[in-house]
Amino acid sequence: MMQMRMAKPISSWPTLLFLFFVLFPGAAVAAQTLIPAPPRLAANAYLLVDADSGKVIVEHNSSARVEPASLTKMMTAYIAAHELHEGNIRMTDQVRVSKKAWQMGGSKMFIRVGTEVTVDELLHGIIIQSGNDASVAMAEHIAGAEDAFVQIMNHHAGLLGMSGTHFQNAHGWPAENHYTTARDMAVLAKAIIYRYPDHYALYKVRNYTYNGIAQPNRNRLLWQDDSVDGLKTGHTEAAGYCLVASAKRGDMRLISVVMGAKSEDSRARETRKLLAYGFRYYETIKPYEAGAVLNETRIWGGTVDKVRLGVSEDMYLTIPRGRAGDLEASLEVERIIRAPINAGDARGSVKVRLDSEPVADVPLVALDSVPEGGLVKRILDWVKLFFLDLFNMLKT
């Protein structure tokens, strides 16, 4: 059961209304868990982040430019999922294989020039078999030519906030000005997982056969850890061995990125280290749900006298395991709120601290729109507010 008690003030901000401690459901007063230093990986860059809260748990060179290799295909597949969602292409579309797509070397789906293959089959070939040929065929189907598709890739990278990424092709072969960062790959992985969950299901498929050729998914963790359900491997001589993976245990989902490992075994092993550390020593909780009423306060000059306040999105917090009961939350609300106000307008903030350190600071928003009241109502409220301010001044 959630319990609350008054806390000492943590701010002298004049709009502070009240403070409270929150003991989250299931929390117990227990000895604090000792968290060791995060593992040091045999990789050029790596990152471990909670998918819901965005909390970075482990990172090393996460903003450094690195070659993405076949991780590039995550964006190719993401755009295909977007186009499917928008109705611009269909899974049953027949795609004629061009000579350019057929001639692609490296990892292949083994599509044949002049034949037709469905979008559904191409997606399997891109995600499971890491087909360079399938990637070019998909790019040509969506944009007419791979060069045009690359422009779409960079546009979507910008929309997602992947500021450290630039693509030059749809498959990931080394090219000048073709780069990304571990952090950007985590951003892309989160978008794939949450924006197109039906499409994301493809990333955990272990094997796929096309043209009589069976190929396994190169993500070895799909066989080694049942909680892992994606995403993608990559390898070139320059990039080393790369792996973006995601795992869900209970209600907690983590995304790991390992770039520039020394071998297939190494990238899987180092990823397991990251995931084990994150799940062992951290937990993710949801103290407040979107739309839940956290406060109801006076609004002046409106058609009603009260406005409900809450958060616009579910709030997720990633904290050391077992520390939920030590969280301190404060609700800060503007002292005077006047109508009109629209649902979603920020009128304060929700702050959460652990051991006096900030954990979260999110806007406290109006849950309902309140139009301006009639003339008489506005005048009456103005008079009340005037005398209230006068009384407060006399008190001080």
Side-chain angles (χ1 to χ4, degrees):
M1 180 176 179
M2 183 177 290
Q3 302 178 20
M4 299 182 187
R5 63 178 183 270
M6 294 302 294
K8 294 180 181 179
I10 57 175
S11 172
S12 59
W13 186 31
T15 59
L16 177 66
L17 288 189
F18 63 86
L19 300 167
F20 54 91
F21 281 104
V22 178
L23 295 180
F24 293 95
V29 179
Q32 182 174 336
T33 301
L34 176 64
I35 299 181
R40 295 175 63 88
L41 305 189
N44 295 333
Y46 48 87
L47 176 75
L48 180 68
V49 61
D50 183 88
D52 291 306
S53 70
K55 166 72 174 178
V56 174
I57 299 172
V58 183
E59 66 176 326
H60 173 70
N61 287 341
S62 63
S63 296
R65 281 189 184 183
V66 291
E67 292 193 26
S70 283
L71 300 184
T72 301
K73 297 182 179 80
M74 289 170 57
M75 179 58 83
T76 301
Y78 172 80
I79 293 172
H82 173 78
E83 294 294 311
L84 285 163
H85 182 265
E86 294 298 312
N88 297 327
I89 61 174
R90 297 172 300 174
M91 283 289 204
T92 55
D93 284 354
Q94 295 289 331
V95 180
R96 181 164 292 277
V97 179
S98 70
K99 184 177 181 180
K100 178 182 177 180
W102 170 72
Q103 286 182 326
M104 287 300 300
S107 56
K108 297 170 66 72
M109 181 186 177
F110 296 102
I111 50 180
R112 292 170 293 183
V113 64
T115 63
E116 291 186 337
V117 57
T118 66
V119 165
D120 184 31
E121 290 169 324
L122 286 177
L123 276 173
H124 282 74
I126 294 168
I127 295 169
I128 303 164
Q129 299 177 326
S130 198
N132 295 327
D133 49 358
S135 300
V136 173
M138 181 69 79
E140 291 174 341
H141 179 63
I142 291 174
E146 186 181 7
D147 288 347
F149 184 78
V150 167
Q151 295 179 38
I152 298 173
M153 296 173 73
N154 288 316
H155 175 69
H156 277 277
L159 292 176
L160 291 173
M162 298 169 61
S163 58
T165 295
H166 189 271
F167 296 109
Q168 289 288 74
N169 57 58
H171 40 77
W173 272 14
E176 186 179 356
N177 213 30
H178 188 82
Y179 56 83
T180 189
T181 68
R183 186 179 293 272
D184 282 359
M185 283 293 104
V187 170
L188 178 56
K190 181 176 179 177
I192 290 170
I193 293 167
Y194 287 121
R195 295 192 180 186
Y196 307 113
D198 293 340
H199 168 79
Y200 178 59
L202 276 178
Y203 287 84
K204 66 180 178 182
V205 177
R206 295 180 178 181
N207 299 278
Y208 183 62
T209 301
Y210 179 80
N211 197 20
I213 301 171
Q215 297 188 65
N217 195 313
R218 291 164 173 78
N219 184 357
R220 293 187 179 184
L221 294 184
L222 296 176
W223 285 266
Q224 299 172 356
D225 185 341
D226 289 340
S227 69
V228 173
D229 52 14
L231 293 160
K232 188 77 185 68
T233 63
H235 170 252
T236 64
E237 184 176 346
Y241 290 84
C242 309
L243 173 57
V244 178
S246 183
K248 186 174 184 181
R249 300 180 189 176
D251 293 328
M252 186 178 186
R253 176 178 287 280
L254 297 178
I255 296 171
S256 68
V257 182
V258 172
M259 310 291 290
K262 300 302 182 184
S263 67
E264 289 187 33
D265 285 340
S266 177
R267 70 184 174 193
R269 181 172 60 252
E270 302 305 273
T271 297
R272 288 199 305 270
K273 289 180 186 178
L274 283 180
L275 294 174
Y277 179 83
F279 284 120
R280 169 63 181 86
Y281 293 108
Y282 290 85
E283 62 180 323
T284 298
I285 60 175
K286 183 171 67 172
Y288 305 121
E289 293 186 351
V293 179
L294 303 184
N295 179 262
E296 192 171 16
T297 192
R298 184 70 157 92
I299 184 167
W300 301 91
T303 54
V304 296
D305 290 333
K306 296 283 186 179
V307 60
R308 303 184 308 159
L309 303 175
V311 291
S312 59
E313 298 179 353
D314 292 343
M315 178 190 283
Y316 291 95
L317 304 176
T318 300
I319 58 174
R321 188 166 292 278
R323 298 297 309 281
D326 300 322
L327 289 169
E328 178 185 347
S330 65
L331 197 65
E332 300 181 349
V333 184
E334 289 184 7
R335 188 175 69 87
I336 297 174
I337 299 177
R338 292 184 172 88
I341 190 172
N342 296 317
D345 287 351
R347 288 297 181 267
S349 64
V350 181
K351 302 178 186 293
V352 182
R353 292 175 172 82
L354 180 63
D355 298 333
S356 299
E357 293 296 322
V359 176
D361 186 347
V362 300
L364 186 67
V365 304
L367 299 178
D368 309 294
S369 296
V370 179
E372 195 175 46
L375 179 61
V376 173
K377 177 67 163 58
R378 298 200 307 275
I379 292 174
L380 288 174
D381 276 3
W382 183 86
V383 172
K384 291 177 185 177
L385 191 56
F386 173 80
F387 282 106
L388 180 63
D389 284 341
L390 181 63
F391 176 75
N392 288 332
M393 284 195 313
L394 293 174
K395 281 180 62 179
T396 59

